[in-house]
């Protein structure tokens, strides 16, 4: 309540009038299913309590005015007719890209005043950009009575990030922010966007899921993410399938053999196919009530991301190794990689022990001290006022 009031009050100070409404959209943490979304595969994110909050009003003069409480500087005033892909490298590209994508799709958006504030850690692999996109999309959908479904908003936000921002991300982050439900993880098939809400109440079973933000910043729009995606697409083409999702887990060895000496492509294919299988395994374990058995699957996922996809870093590996040595049930890096965050599944009784061990290990390695917090499955995007 305090956050939405602060955002509303700041909007009034900036723009001289009350906003027409206040909306929020969360960041997300991905339980399992990394780099599978752009391969038409399976993912399993849930929404965090950390959110982007936006106060928004319509305009009719073709102007988009943007302001963030989290970035130094005044109001950025843009002409809607001047919005063009990859014309903006600042934070404003995310909300402006959403407006561009809506208008490109034929929706009658004539302008907006927007003030934003976010508690989603930036660069931590927790989808701070998707939260910005989704909160603006939901606000404009409501204000302009566009009638778009949540999955459609997610698609438009993905288009904004892919085309306008120039980051080749999949559909998971935006769908998680738009569609997750409190107390659940979202089992999402990224090919047909079918969804299943899987109950996830770790506290009731005496467990916690910790997020360890390594404070190592990553940037999706740099080259490494794009290289992995291009490699996956090459692997699918060489194997004669539309996407790596189409390689059955049982046929993986035969598929790898067909790739011959394409060693880098073999590694990428092995990760994606095994990761899809891990997502399905976690869904089964949760539905069977065998939640503790999820831990080793998370750890297997980290090994695959580290050794086959090669997107981990020393800080992420140190979190995982230290947490496991201190009694964690399982741990893995989460998000796009090259920094960001790891998740650690622990018994209630081991939270302090594991947290202390990780912080001390970072100090001993002369790394920046990590930020550790509990990840509680929370509500997706919604209108607050």
């Amino acid at each position: 309540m305090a956050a939405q009031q602060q955002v509303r009050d700041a909007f009034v100070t900036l723009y001289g009038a009350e906003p027409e409404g206040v909306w929020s959209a969360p960041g997300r943490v991905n339980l399992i299913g990394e780099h599978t979304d752009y391969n038409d595969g399976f993912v399993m994110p849930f929404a965090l309590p950390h959110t982007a909050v936006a106060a928004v009003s319509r305009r009719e003069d073709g102007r988009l005015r943007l302001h963030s409480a989290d970035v130094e500087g005044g109001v950025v005033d843009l002409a809607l007719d001047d919005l063009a892909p990859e014309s903006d490298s600042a934070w404003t590209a995310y909300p402006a890209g959403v407006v561009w994508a809506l208008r490109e799709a034929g929706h009658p958006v004539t302008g907006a005043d927007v003030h934003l504030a976010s508690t989603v850690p930036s660069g931590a692999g927790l989808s701070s950009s998707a939260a910005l996109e989704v909160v603006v999309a939901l606000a404009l959908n409501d204000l302009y009575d566009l009638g778009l479904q949540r999955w459609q908003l997610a698609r438009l936000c993905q288009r904004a990030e892919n085309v306008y921002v120039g980051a080749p991300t999949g559909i998971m982050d935006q769908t998680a922010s738009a569609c997750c439900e409190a107390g659940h993880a979202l089992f999402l098939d990224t090919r047909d966007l079918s969804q299943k809400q899987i109950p996830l109440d770790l506290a009731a079973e005496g467990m916690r899921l910790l997020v360890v933000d390594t404070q190592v910043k990553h940037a999706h729009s740099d080259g490494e993410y794009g290289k992995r995606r291009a490699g996956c697409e090459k692997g699918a083409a060489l194997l004669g399938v539309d996407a790596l999702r189409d390689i059955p887990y049982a046929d993986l060895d035969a598929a790898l053999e067909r790739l011959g000496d394409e060693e880098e492509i073999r590694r990428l294919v092995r990760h994606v196919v095994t990761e899809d299988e891990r997502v399905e395994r976690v869904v089964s374990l949760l539905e069977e009530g065998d939640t503790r058995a999820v831990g080793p699957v998370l750890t297997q996922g980290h090994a695959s991301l580290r050794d086959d996809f090669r997107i981990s870093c020393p800080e992420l590996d140190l979190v995982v190794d230290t947490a496991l040595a201190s009694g964690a049930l399982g741990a893995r890096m989460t998000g796009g990689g090259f920094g960001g965050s790891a998740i650690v599944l622990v018994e209630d009784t081991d939270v302090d022990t594991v947290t202390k061990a990780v912080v001390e290990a970072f100090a001993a390695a002369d790394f920046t001290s990590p930020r550790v917090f509990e990840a509680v499955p929370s509500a997706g995007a919604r209108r607050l006022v």
Side-chain angles (χ1 to χ4, degrees), residues 235-236 239-241 243-252 255 258 269 273 276:
L239 293 167
V241 294
L244 293 183
R245 180 264 184 68
D246 295 314
I247 304 298
Y249 179 69
D251 297 346
L252 176 59
R258 286 165 55 203
V269 170
V273 175
D276 274 335

Side-chain angles (χ1 to χ4, degrees), residues 23-27 50-53 120 130-132 134-135 177 380-382:
W23 290 259
S24 77
H50 307 73
T51 59
V53 179
V120 185
L132 285 184
V134 170
V135 74
S177 186
R382 62 199 189 280

Side-chain angles (χ1 to χ4, degrees), residues 27-337:
R28 66 96 188 96
V29 68
N30 193 22
L31 184 63
I32 192 75
E34 220 63 80
H35 289 269
T36 49
D37 58 348
Y38 54 79
N39 289 291
D40 282 3
F42 305 120
V43 294
M44 200 174 185
F46 62 84
L48 290 167
H50 307 73
T51 59
V53 179
V56 186
S57 287
R58 289 168 290 183
R59 296 180 65 90
E60 297 180 359
D61 59 357
R63 309 299 300 184
L64 174 63
R65 296 197 294 180
L66 300 168
H67 186 269
S68 170
D70 309 307
V71 181
E72 286 188 19
V75 173
V76 178
D77 191 336
L78 304 169
L80 298 190
D81 289 342
D82 293 340
L83 299 181
E86 299 192 50
S87 61
D88 184 355
S89 59
W91 71 270
T92 47
Y94 297 100
V98 169
V99 175
W100 171 84
L102 285 167
R103 284 165 55 85
E104 280 284 298
H107 299 294
V109 176
T110 55
D113 286 337
V114 180
H115 172 63
L116 291 149
S118 179
T119 58
V120 185
S122 176
L126 303 175
S127 297
S128 58
S129 58
L132 285 184
E133 293 158 359
V134 170
V135 74
V136 171
L138 182 61
L140 296 176
N141 187 51
D142 288 352
L143 290 175
Y144 283 97
D145 293 321
L146 302 181
L148 296 168
Q149 300 297 310
R150 295 299 182 97
W151 67 268
Q152 293 173 303
L153 293 177
R155 272 282 192 226
L156 283 163
C157 290
Q158 183 200 14
R159 177 165 167 75
E161 188 148 350
N162 288 174
V163 180
Y164 195 91
V165 178
T169 54
I171 190 63
M172 173 180 65
D173 297 350
Q174 293 85 358
T175 305
S177 186
C179 300
C180 279
E181 294 180 4
H184 294 76
L186 178 68
F187 177 38
L188 173 67
D189 181 334
T190 65
R191 170 164 283 170
D192 62 12
L193 297 188
S194 58
Q195 302 177 15
K196 187 176 184 181
Q197 301 285 346
I198 308 294
L200 183 64
D201 186 355
L202 296 171
E205 299 187 60
M207 287 173 284
R208 296 285 188 270
L209 190 74
L210 303 179
V211 174
V212 182
D213 176 3
T214 65
Q215 308 279 357
V216 178
K217 302 301 181 185
H218 71 108
H220 271 172
S221 47
D222 68 10
E224 292 302 319
Y225 186 102
K227 284 180 190 172
R228 301 305 190 281
R229 182 165 185 164
C232 290
E233 290 167 356
K234 180 179 177 181
L238 289 171
L239 293 167
V241 294
D242 290 336
L244 293 183
R245 180 264 184 68
D246 295 314
I247 304 298
Y249 179 69
D251 297 346
L252 176 59
D253 288 344
L256 296 177
E257 223 172 273
R258 286 165 55 203
L259 290 170
D261 60 1
E262 292 273 3
E263 183 52 39
E264 184 178 354
I265 303 300
R266 284 163 56 92
R267 287 191 286 99
L268 298 178
V269 170
R270 183 164 52 227
H271 166 72
V272 173
V273 175
T274 58
E275 187 79 346
D276 274 335
E277 188 274 337
R278 281 186 285 272
V279 177
E280 293 185 291
R281 213 179 336 151
V282 167
V283 172
S284 296
L285 289 169
L286 290 176
E287 290 183 332
E288 293 162 4
D290 195 5
T291 307
R292 281 173 175 79
V294 167
V297 187
L298 302 184
T299 306
Q300 290 165 17
H302 183 77
S304 183
L305 289 161
R306 180 192 64 211
D307 301 336
D308 278 342
F309 230 68
R310 299 190 181 181
I311 56 169
S312 190
C313 66
E315 291 86 351
L316 288 168
D317 292 341
L318 184 60
V319 174
V320 172
D321 294 344
T322 304
L324 293 172
S326 305
L329 297 164
R332 75 172 189 90
M333 60 152 286
T334 187

